[in-house]
Amino acid sequence: MRVFSLESVIEEFEALTKDAGRLQRETLRKILEQNGEAEYLQSLGLGGRTDPGSFKACVPLATHSDLQPYIQRIVDGETSPILTGKPITSISLSSGTTQGKPKFIPFNDELVHSTMQIYRTSFAFRNREYPIGNGKALQFIYSSKQVKTKGGLTATTATTNVYRSKQFKHTMKDIQSQCCSPDEVIFGSDFQQSLYCHLLCGLIYSDEVQLVSSTFAHSIVHAFRTFEQVWEELCEDIREGVLSSRITIPSMRAAVSKLLRPNPSLAYSIYNKCASLSNWYGLIPELWPNAKYVCGIMTGSMEPYLKKLRHYAGSLPLMSADYGSSEGWIGANVNPSLPPESATFAVLPNIGYFEFIPLKRPEEQGEENSASTIHYVEAEPIGLAEVEVGKEYEILVTNFAGLYRYRLGDVVKVAGFHNSTPELQFICRRSLVLSINIDKNTEKDLQLAVEEAAKLLAAEKLELVDFTSHVDTSTDPGHYVIFWELCSKTAEDVLRSCCNCLDLSFVDAGYVSSRKVGAIGPLELRVVRKGTFHKILDHYLGLGGAVSQFKTPRFVSSSNSNVLQILNRNVSGCYFSTAYGM
């Protein structure tokens, strides 16, 4: 029998965070002892030393490009200890690098274990404030395609690596979060079919659903936007006990059909509830009356979805899920009563060794600079126990899967402490320019896309004067806006082609998949009048800036209203992409 106690999980967390500094030193020692034979560490001259001082003196800060040659050898099938002592069991794929190719990130059982620890910890604190009974979870979760590397390792997203682990189902049972949908839906090869079946299974078990969740907030919003379109068809499936013909994947169809029985009374009830809703407000508690809350990652680029999510959730509380990345987890949300906009994440000091680069905003950079575009002044990295409340930092991660002093690129603020471990607030990705949901495009990505589209201009002997970008979330769904200033008038058909080319040139996996399912709208190209970017320069000079230091902002946030007004007042033409047919 598996014995699981929420109180014991909380007690364990309290013990772990009593002396986080000491536990961090122990965790580093374990990582270095376990991976001491790895070629990467051997080459740096640690010589078996495991103390933080020696580690920092010998091991340099690393980005993914620094570790890529070592990771590539693992991907290609080398079995010698390259980054880790224990074998790497699979590879996680990030959303994509600046070149548009996904990053390969080592994944092993230790990361699965830390994921389950995070899940159990945050659930224990959630359940203490919002207790749920035995039942099911309406989870909008989806596996991604799994491929074999040259060396025979499975490569897929980090979440899929978790979903396919044996520990995942055990933990979901422990924390009373078993998915309504069978595995054939989660691991289905067609997103739209899986989404439809998630909704259907959720309705079949509507009285048993205790919570609604997904990895990201936008996935929940997208699911219920879809529900608005297909609810009558779902009612018909339940009334007749026959699955819609739109589900064509044999395994998915067979698995969901087993759950269906003709149930006219349930169909009638759902139909009447939907018909009585005002603009779908309170949809979730109306159809799932025993749901206690809605949970998912709701910070950072997910915040624009909170307004719509609150509309669907009505009176149900929204809770931001935990803090991590493809490279691994960092902290758990142990303050579930905080609104998502104020969510904090307590660092678990035993799942990795964490350092923090102090970041200081230069005095000459005013408030018009978003956090993702500020060129911070960096100080030497400090340990977890040395951070200060109210200060901003970039996180460095050292974990059991072969990442050492790895720069995540996230800017966080220390909001407080839980015992002796810091509680972090996510601020932004340092180099991120364009992001609506799971898409991540940097200034470099923008530059590459513009360069590709500008080739069409060059073929017509036309010149691009300058450019910038904006994320427009006033539309539903949000979309990218690219502003171009051209040297002369350009034919309409050329500009339409340029617009499509720009859209297709953002090859980040998160962007492409979101465009394909309509979670991000068509890219918009706005052509501005000649002299517009000079007016932006004048604006910055008026704020006291110097021409020698001026750089055209490559991303203009909504908060930078003055520059956005300059751009929008000077638009002479708008073009929407038709590259994805929507």
Side-chain angles (χ1 to χ4, degrees):
M1 285 286 292
R2 291 172 60 84
V3 179
F4 181 76
S5 163
L6 294 177
E7 284 308 313
S8 67
V9 172
I10 292 176
E11 288 172 9
E12 179 189 8
F13 176 77
E14 297 294 346
L16 287 172
T17 56
K18 274 286 193 310
D19 190 351
R22 177 188 58 79
L23 189 51
Q24 277 281 276
R25 292 189 294 274
E26 288 182 12
T27 302
L28 178 62
R29 177 181 57 78
K30 288 179 183 177
I31 292 171
L32 296 180
E33 285 179 352
Q34 183 173 299
N35 297 333
E37 298 302 311
E39 176 189 324
Y40 180 75
L41 291 178
Q42 290 274 325
S43 69
L44 296 172
L46 267 173
R49 289 171 293 172
T50 61
D51 62 286
S54 299
F55 176 67
K56 292 177 182 180
C58 295
V59 179
L61 306 192
T63 62
H64 186 269
S65 59
D66 297 321
L67 297 178
Q68 175 59 30
Y70 299 92
I71 297 172
Q72 189 61 51
R73 287 165 55 195
I74 296 169
V75 169
D76 290 342
E78 284 193 37
T79 56
S80 61
I82 298 172
L83 287 171
T84 59
K86 292 183 179 179
I88 295 297
T89 54
S90 56
I91 295 292
S92 289
L93 299 175
S94 73
S95 58
T97 64
T98 55
Q99 283 74 37
K101 297 177 181 177
K103 292 186 291 188
F104 287 167
I105 299 164
F107 189 91
N108 62 10
D109 291 340
E110 296 279 3
L111 292 183
V112 176
H113 179 75
S114 64
T115 301
M116 299 309 122
Q117 184 184 346
I118 288 273
Y119 284 176
R120 289 193 301 269
T121 301
S122 58
F123 176 78
F125 281 91
R126 280 202 306 273
N127 210 55
R128 190 164 68 175
E129 297 210 26
Y130 304 93
I132 64 173
N134 285 317
K136 294 184 180 293
L138 174 51
Q139 292 182 304
F140 298 103
I141 57 177
Y142 311 91
S143 167
S144 64
K145 185 179 179 182
Q146 301 175 41
V147 298
K148 287 291 183 183
T149 69
K150 182 179 176 182
L153 294 175
T154 298
T156 186
T157 59
T159 48
T160 300
N161 272 325
V162 169
Y163 298 153
R164 68 191 188 96
S165 69
K166 292 179 181 178
Q167 294 182 51
F168 178 72
K169 280 199 170 182
H170 290 313
T171 301
M172 291 301 103
K173 186 175 182 180
D174 286 344
I175 66 176
Q176 302 160 269
S177 302
Q178 295 180 91
C179 188
C180 293
S181 305
D183 283 352
E184 289 82 358
V185 174
I186 297 171
F187 291 92
S189 57
D190 184 286
F191 166 78
Q192 296 292 0
Q193 292 187 45
S194 290
L195 171 52
Y196 184 91
C197 289
H198 276 317
L199 290 167
L200 180 60
C201 293
L203 292 172
I204 292 170
Y205 294 111
S206 55
D207 286 339
E208 298 180 51
V209 168
Q210 298 286 307
L211 64 116
V212 177
S213 70
S214 187
T215 306
F216 295 105
H218 87 92
S219 298
I220 306 173
V221 171
H222 184 74
F224 290 117
R225 283 186 182 135
T226 302
F227 181 85
E228 292 182 31
Q229 309 302 318
V230 301
W231 69 278
E232 290 175 296
E233 190 175 344
L234 290 164
C235 287
E236 184 180 345
D237 289 1
I238 293 169
R239 183 172 55 252
E240 301 298 328
V242 178
L243 184 58
S244 166
S245 59
R246 70 168 65 218
I247 309 304
T248 58
I249 298 172
S251 59
M252 191 186 303
R253 188 169 185 86
V256 176
S257 293
K258 287 179 183 177
L259 306 178
L260 267 176
R261 300 283 185 278
N263 194 337
S265 61
L266 177 60
Y268 180 76
S269 172
I270 294 168
Y271 189 95
N272 282 345
K273 287 177 178 178
C274 290
S276 66
L277 288 172
S278 174
N279 196 28
W280 301 102
Y281 178 80
L283 167 64
I284 297 173
E286 186 68 26
L287 294 185
W288 292 277
N290 294 313
K292 306 299 189 299
Y293 53 82
V294 179
C295 184
I297 293 173
M298 299 182 185
T299 52
S301 60
M302 293 299 115
E303 285 192 22
Y305 295 90
L306 294 181
K307 182 180 179 181
K308 188 69 173 179
L309 193 51
R310 286 192 170 104
H311 182 83
Y312 286 132
S315 59
L316 285 182
L318 303 184
M319 296 184 198
S320 191
D322 309 302
Y323 174 36
S325 65
S326 298
E327 289 84 358
W329 289 101
I330 296 160
N333 184 353
V334 299
N335 299 304
S337 60
L338 290 175
E341 294 91 340
S342 306
T344 61
F345 309 96
V347 178
L348 271 67
N350 68 325
I351 63 173
Y353 182 71
F354 302 103
E355 298 172 75
F356 297 82
I357 301 173
L359 302 175
K360 185 178 180 182
R361 298 182 181 222
E363 292 181 8
E364 66 270 14
Q365 295 199 42
E367 290 302 313
E368 288 200 343
N369 291 85
S370 67
S372 60
T373 57
I374 284 177
H375 296 288
Y376 289 94
V377 174
E378 299 181 2
E380 286 298 308
I382 59 176
L384 176 146
E386 301 169 87
V387 297
E388 298 178 44
V389 173
K391 298 289 181 66
E392 292 182 355
Y393 301 91
E394 181 188 343
I395 302 180
L396 301 177
V397 173
T398 297
N399 66 17
F400 289 93
L403 298 182
Y404 305 99
R405 310 195 80 193
Y406 185 93
R407 301 187 73 143
L408 279 186
D410 289 356
V411 177
V412 297
K413 179 184 286 187
V414 178
F417 283 86
H418 187 104
N419 294 328
S420 63
T421 199
E423 293 185 337
L424 307 177
Q425 229 175 351
F426 178 83
I427 303 299
C428 68
R429 294 281 294 171
R430 278 193 75 173
S431 61
L432 193 60
V433 173
L434 295 163
S435 180
I436 292 176
N437 46 58
I438 61 171
D439 53 309
K440 294 179 174 68
N441 283 297
T442 64
E443 182 171 324
K444 182 65 173 177
D445 294 313
L446 171 63
Q447 180 182 328
L448 292 171
V450 169
E451 286 175 355
E452 192 63 29
K455 292 176 183 176
L456 301 177
L457 295 175
E460 301 293 326
K461 296 186 170 26
L462 298 167
E463 183 185 344
L464 176 66
V465 175
D466 215 337
F467 68 96
T468 190
S469 64
H470 173 65
V471 166
D472 187 349
T473 53
S474 66
T475 60
D476 189 9
H479 67 284
Y480 289 7
V481 178
I482 309 298
F483 292 94
W484 272 12
E485 182 177 324
L486 302 168
C487 63
S488 57
K489 192 171 181 179
T490 308
E492 297 278 309
D493 60 331
V494 173
L495 291 171
R496 289 194 187 94
S497 297
C498 288
C499 184
N500 286 349
C501 183
L502 283 166
D503 204 3
L504 292 170
S505 296
F506 287 105
V507 292
D508 162 68
Y511 181 79
V512 173
S513 60
S514 295
R515 284 288 286 115
K516 284 181 177 177
V517 301
I520 294 177
L523 179 143
E524 181 183 1
L525 173 61
R526 296 181 188 172
V527 178
V528 297
R529 298 182 185 92
K530 290 177 68 174
T532 298
F533 280 85
H534 199 282
K535 292 177 181 178
I536 294 173
L537 169 60
D538 290 340
H539 167 72
Y540 277 104
L541 294 178
L543 295 175
V547 174
S548 60
Q549 293 179 317
F550 175 77
K551 292 180 182 177
T552 298
R554 290 299 175 218
F555 173 71
V556 180
S557 66
S558 296
S559 61
N560 196 350
S561 56
N562 289 328
V563 172
L564 200 56
Q565 284 176 14
I566 293 170
L567 289 164
N568 285 329
R569 278 200 304 262
N570 287 279
V571 171
S572 60
C574 297
Y575 308 87
F576 285 90
S577 168
T578 56
Y580 289 86
M582 61 177 71

